Amino acid sequence: MTSAAATPIDSKKPNTKQELITANIKLLIEQLEAGHSDALTNYLTAMSRFHTYSFGNVLEIARQMPTATRVAGFWTWKQLGRSVKAGQKGIRILAPIVGVRRKQDEEANKDVTKQNERVLVGFRNAYVFDVSQTEGAELPEMRGISGDPGENSERLAAFVRSRGITLVYNEKIAPALGMSYGGRIAILPGQSKAEEFSTLVHETAHELLHKAERRTATTKTVRETEAEAVAFVVGKAVGLVTGSASADYIHLYHGNASLLAESLEVIQQTAAVILAALEPPIADEQEESAAAEAQELAEVAA
């Protein structure tokens, strides 16, 4: 196995969301075909760390700094009492340029508060820095769990039920660890806490990903691999010890970049939905930091 370090795409920087995704998917295929079997793991790990960022920007962060764990803009780090070290190179992402357009309809003419609307007019280069590129005040500890999902198991079960999905425990599904039936999930009792959490994430991913049109458009192998990738991303995010993502994933698409991009994007989006549901309901310093970062970058290239 060989490692895939940060790799330049080419001399011309992608300037749109789609160009960004296309260039990174092309590079990912090239890395995997060249034997860099941990390239996919780097991308999925980045999804677990930066699930509030857009798909394209997750790919950009993973490509430029696979070891990044926490990123923020220059001024956000300042607000947290840290400074970017001299000579450090920022991680380029795309941030939206939002303008204001005056509406000309009848309703707007009657009510001045409804005359303007925010519209996306393009994207600009924005730069973030990893915590390893900064120095200064110690940061508040990130909530992290090693080997035990803790309260995340209860939050995940509550999220599943809030979606109208029945959750049961059934010994009869053995040797399967979990089953998804479309509106109903069965989990094999007796698993460790970490195994049970990962199994429930896997089956939840099936419920969110593989119904209706998408189920008929994918094979069973693809569906299982996507669900396992979501479980990898979420498990990493909550601090569980996980295996490496399988490089065999790429072979499911036979080098088809568009299908691979679609699959990775739905994995990222599904993992982000689940991780958002696991966020603790109380405000703390970590959430205040995230709010400051969101204000600085606005809506990062959605």
Side-chain angles (χ1 to χ4, degrees), residues 246-257:
S246 174
D248 292 339
Y249 176 74
I250 189 68
H251 300 308
L252 299 176
Y253 295 94
H254 307 291
N256 186 316

Side-chain angles (χ1 to χ4, degrees), residues 7-15 19 22-24 26-27 30 60 63 89 92:
T7 309
I9 290 180
D10 55 40
S11 58
K12 181 181 181 298
K13 293 180 180 179
N15 291 311
E19 285 179 2
T22 299
N24 274 289
K26 180 176 180 290
L27 179 62
E30 291 172 354
E60 274 293 270
R63 177 184 66 80
K89 182 180 180 182
R92 175 187 178 264

Side-chain angles (χ1 to χ4, degrees), residues 273-284:
V273 167
I274 295 173
L275 287 169
L278 301 183
E279 287 291 327
I282 57 174
D284 57 15

Side-chain angles (χ1 to χ4, degrees), residues 115-219:
Q115 288 181 353
N116 298 326
E117 61 179 342
R118 290 163 59 85
V119 294
L120 177 67
V121 296
F123 293 93
R124 62 178 174 84
N125 290 338
Y127 292 87
V128 293
F129 299 85
D130 182 53
V131 63
S132 65
Q133 298 175 284
T134 68
E135 58 190 359
E138 289 297 315
L139 295 171
E141 284 294 315
M142 302 285 281
R143 283 192 178 88
I145 312 154
S146 178
D148 184 351
E151 295 179 358
N152 288 302
S153 291
E154 294 179 9
R155 292 188 188 122
L156 179 58
F159 168 71
V160 167
R161 294 185 177 106
S162 75
R163 302 288 294 236
I165 301 168
T166 302
L167 176 60
V168 299
Y169 291 81
N170 188 348
E171 295 179 349
K172 295 181 180 179
I173 66 170
L177 300 179
M179 296 290 290
S180 165
Y181 300 98
R184 180 173 176 270
I185 291 175
I187 300 294
L188 182 70
Q191 302 178 60
S192 71
K193 291 181 179 179
E195 289 172 336
E196 183 178 310
F197 178 81
S198 183
T199 299
L200 183 53
V201 174
H202 181 110
E203 302 307 332
T204 302
H206 277 311
E207 292 289 323
L208 300 179
L209 273 172
H210 301 135
K211 303 306 169 192
E213 296 85 1
R214 182 160 181 79
R215 182 175 182 85
T216 60
T218 54
T219 65

